Amino acid sequence: MGVGGFAFVTIVLFMVHELDEIVFIRRYIDKHSGDERYKAEMFVAGARRYPSTELIAAMICEELIVSSLILLAGTLLGSIEVVAATFIAYALHLLAHIREAFVFPGWAPGSRTAVLTSPLVIAVLGTMMFPVSWPLLAVFTIVIGAGLLANLNLMRRLAGRVDAAITSAA
C-alpha cells in the first residue's frame, strides 16, 4: 500500500472512532454525571467542554480538517513518516479510550471503537513501519502530536464561544 492508501486508512479509522463519540458523549455525560464512580472518567470529568452534541460535531469536524490537511501534505510529499506520525497520534489517543473501557463499568464513548479497531490499528501501524526513516518519524511524531494536542486545547478553550455561535445561528 502506498502513502495515500495509508493516509486514507488513517482518516477512515479516525472518523469511525470520532463518530462513535459524536453519537454518545452527551447522553453518556447526562447519564453518569451524578454517579461518583464516573467522576474521573474523561468525558464526565470534562463535561463543561462538551455542552452540546452540535459543539462536539463541530470540534470533530475541525479535527478532521486539520488531520486531513496533515495527511494530504504527507501524501503529496510522499512521506510515510508524516502519515505514520499522524496515525501514531491517533493510536495513542485510542489507548486512553481502551483504558476507560477497563476502568469504568460499561462502554464509554469511543471505547467501543477503540477496542474493536485496535487489532486493525496495530496491523496497519506495523505495516506502515517497515519503510520509515526512524529519526524522521520520531521528529514528525513529536511535532505533529504536539500540534494536534495544541489544536485540541485551543478547541477546548473556545468551546463556550463556538457553542454560543452555533446556538445563535440555529
Side-chain angles (χ1 to χ4, degrees):
M1 184 181 319
V3 174
F6 282 124
F8 178 74
V9 169
T10 299
I11 205 67
V12 167
L13 286 173
F14 173 70
M15 283 313 301
V16 166
H17 168 75
E18 294 298 307
L19 289 171
D20 179 19
E21 291 182 355
I22 291 171
V23 171
F24 293 107
I25 288 175
R26 271 310 323 162
R27 291 157 97 198
Y28 184 84
I29 291 169
D30 293 344
K31 180 178 179 181
H32 297 293
S33 61
D35 189 333
E36 282 298 309
R37 296 176 300 166
Y38 291 87
K39 75 177 188 176
E41 193 279 328
M42 73 172 88
F43 293 119
V44 174
R48 65 176 169 61
R49 296 181 188 139
Y50 311 104
S52 68
T53 299
E54 296 83 2
L55 174 68
I56 296 163
M59 290 171 68
I60 289 171
C61 179
E62 194 270 350
E63 285 180 314
L64 170 64
I65 292 166
V66 169
S67 296
S68 294
L69 290 172
I70 295 168
L71 293 168
L72 176 63
T75 301
L76 293 175
L77 295 171
S79 174
I80 193 68
E81 292 83 5
V82 169
V83 173
T86 308
F87 197 86
I88 289 168
Y90 162 67
L92 291 173
H93 163 89
L94 291 182
L95 290 177
H97 288 289
I98 291 170
R99 177 196 164 275
E100 299 273 304
F102 291 108
V103 173
F104 298 98
W107 290 99
S111 64
R112 292 175 201 85
T113 52
V115 170
L116 294 173
T117 63
S118 61
L120 183 56
V121 168
I122 292 166
V124 170
L125 199 53
T127 304
M128 236 189 262
M129 291 299 120
F130 288 111
V132 301
S133 162
W134 292 99
L136 197 54
L137 177 62
V139 169
F140 282 144
T141 299
I142 291 167
V143 170
I144 291 171
L148 291 172
L149 283 174
N151 181 61
L152 179 61
N153 285 329
L154 175 63
M155 286 190 301
R156 287 178 174 167
R157 282 196 309 262
L158 296 174
R161 284 191 256 170
V162 173
D163 193 53
I166 292 169
T167 301
S168 68

